[in-house]
Amino acid sequence: MPDRSPRAPGSHTPCAVAAFLEQSAWGRRIVPAPWLGSWHATRDGGPAREPVALPGPATVTGVLPPEVVRTMVWSRLRALAGEIRGPSAVVWRAFARQWNLSYTPVVPWPGGQGTTPLGHAARSCAGHGLAWRRLPSGWQQAPADQVLRGLRVDPVPRDPVFVREFVRGDEAELACALHHHLRLRSLTETVTECCARLRPLVVRDPPSDPPVMSAEARLQVPYALWPAQRELSALLDEVIRQGDLLVHEAECRTEHRARAIVRASEFQVRGAGMLAFFAMQQLRPALRARDHGGRSSQGRRPDRGPGGDDDVIAAAGARLAAIRSLRQEGAHGSSSITHALEALDHARWTTTALCTALAGQPGTGCGGDPPALGGAWTPPA
């Protein structure tokens, strides 16, 4: 039976998904064996290839972020490494050569137009469509043939047999699920730590052991703070377990992988809803503590007027309602991935609002944005 006791802030379990995705990180190189039956990724000995800035998260009518596309192509080449022979091995090496030079296709999401995300990637690697170009200011879309010429690498040769095998995989959904899992875990750890740092602001001289608190001290604590840490600790345990299952499916390619990806996406929507709920419940005491000089007040808070704290809480409630609507709709295939992305974006907004409310409190150490989450954030109005 998992341990339900609250986790101490800063005590994190190693992330299996992060370790797995490190194999496809920027700066890695695919080194195939002569017979392509085995291969591995090694760290590039040259200058660091980390991007200056990553685009924001994909939207319903947008494109996949470059790091997701890189994981997708790497996973597909990894799956085909032991299955191809003859002329197709030359095409495989051409794909690997482009990947080693950080060539990253622009892949629309959802795919649409009868083409899968892997099909869009294959077309870009052949010199058609668009690719990402890294500039000092960040990423920019450019014609694929121009990016290939800039990297001094040839397009992949035309091979219908290999391309037919390449586009048949589900690595796009797998890559999205893995990267969404990292966002969910980061948000879970952030909300858990915010909850732990909010308690001293609403309880005067809280003891280290909550059960020994006096009745008067208990009355000062909003109910939302009592179950939050335990529930968030249980959620983090489940997030870790789901990450282990995703990595197992990514490495072993079982016949149940498609269903496992859908279940992981459904869990991500559910987890985002829990995070949005607990973050919203903690927003009001956090805002009151800010308005009263670092100590929460049980009295009525002065009205801050239009665009004030009440609007922030109302917006958080609207985003929680949007997540619940996504859960009720349900989805399959690429729609489940899109729903997970939307839910995580809503949960991230509410979590960022909570972090911002705690940012001005002495001793909390909370910043205005959850760590390890790409994309810009606009302060809630």
Side-chain angles (χ1 to χ4, degrees), residues 195-208:
C195 180
R197 295 182 178 185
L198 178 61
R199 183 182 293 271
L201 297 178
V202 297
V203 183
R204 295 185 181 275
D205 304 322
S208 57

Side-chain angles (χ1 to χ4, degrees), residues 126-287:
H128 308 286
L130 299 174
W132 290 107
R133 171 182 289 166
R134 186 180 301 129
L135 301 175
S137 58
W139 290 92
Q140 181 185 57
Q141 298 183 25
D145 55 345
Q146 294 182 13
V147 178
L148 289 171
R149 285 197 299 269
L151 294 174
R152 298 182 181 180
V153 61
D154 296 329
V156 295
R158 180 178 176 82
D159 185 350
V161 176
F162 178 85
V163 172
R164 192 180 307 116
E165 291 297 321
F166 183 82
V167 302
R168 285 174 56 187
D170 57 358
E171 277 73 16
E173 290 77 8
L174 175 65
C176 289
L178 289 168
H179 284 271
H180 291 172
H181 175 88
L182 288 184
R183 298 187 68 197
L184 177 61
R185 173 156 179 169
S186 175
L187 286 170
T188 305
E189 293 175 345
T190 300
V191 176
T192 302
E193 190 156 351
C194 285
C195 180
R197 295 182 178 185
L198 178 61
R199 183 182 293 271
L201 297 178
V202 297
V203 183
R204 295 185 181 275
D205 304 322
S208 57
D209 187 9
V212 303
M213 295 175 61
S214 65
E216 182 181 357
R218 288 175 182 271
L219 290 176
Q220 297 179 20
V221 182
Y223 176 76
L225 293 182
W226 281 108
Q229 279 191 282
R230 291 185 178 275
E231 293 294 334
L232 290 171
S233 179
L235 175 61
L236 183 57
D237 289 336
E238 185 63 18
V239 168
I240 293 173
R241 190 182 74 85
Q242 290 289 335
D244 293 339
L245 293 176
L246 270 179
V247 171
H248 173 74
E249 293 294 339
E251 292 180 338
C252 301
R253 295 182 55 82
T254 69
E255 59 182 2
H256 306 292
R257 186 163 87 169
R259 181 56 187 161
I261 294 174
V262 172
R263 287 180 178 176
S265 299
E266 293 172 348
F267 169 76
Q268 289 162 3
V269 174
R270 187 168 66 254
M274 292 182 63
L275 292 177
F277 171 77
F278 284 117
M280 185 188 70
Q281 291 296 313
Q282 297 173 70
L283 257 178
R284 189 174 294 277
L287 292 171

Side-chain angles (χ1 to χ4, degrees), residues 262-345:
V262 172
R263 287 180 178 176
S265 299
E266 293 172 348
F267 169 76
Q268 289 162 3
V269 174
R270 187 168 66 254
M274 292 182 63
L275 292 177
F277 171 77
F278 284 117
M280 185 188 70
Q281 291 296 313
Q282 297 173 70
L283 257 178
R284 189 174 294 277
L287 292 171
R288 284 178 176 173
R290 182 195 66 186
D291 294 340
H292 290 82
R295 183 64 63 185
S296 179
S297 171
Q298 299 300 315
R300 176 177 173 82
R301 176 179 49 79
D303 186 13
R304 297 178 65 88
D309 297 343
D310 290 339
D311 289 344
V312 175
I313 295 174
R319 290 178 179 271
L320 175 60
I323 297 176
R324 289 173 174 171
S325 176
L326 292 173
R327 287 193 60 185
Q328 293 175 356
E329 289 180 14
H332 301 283
S334 61
S335 297
S336 64
I337 299 293
T338 303
H339 281 194
L341 177 61
E342 293 180 7
L344 289 170
D345 282 345

Side-chain angles (χ1 to χ4, degrees), residues 57-116:
T59 60
V60 179
T61 58
V63 295
L64 294 179
E67 67 273 16
V68 176
V69 177
R70 184 168 173 83
T71 300
M72 175 188 73
V73 175
W74 171 80
S75 299
R76 192 58 188 150
L77 293 177
R78 183 174 183 264
L80 294 175
E83 302 177 3
I84 58 176
R85 296 291 187 275
S88 294
V90 177
V91 184
W92 188 97
R93 288 191 174 92
F95 272 97
R97 190 177 304 113
Q98 291 182 0
W99 191 88
N100 288 343
L101 294 174
S102 297
Y103 177 78
T104 309
V106 172
V107 176
W109 184 268
Q113 301 179 356
T115 305
T116 65

Side-chain angles (χ1 to χ4, degrees), residues 312 315 319 348-350 352-353 356 368-369 375-381:
V312 175
R319 290 178 179 271
R348 179 179 184 269
W349 189 96
T350 309
T352 304
T356 303
D369 203 13
W377 171 73
T378 301

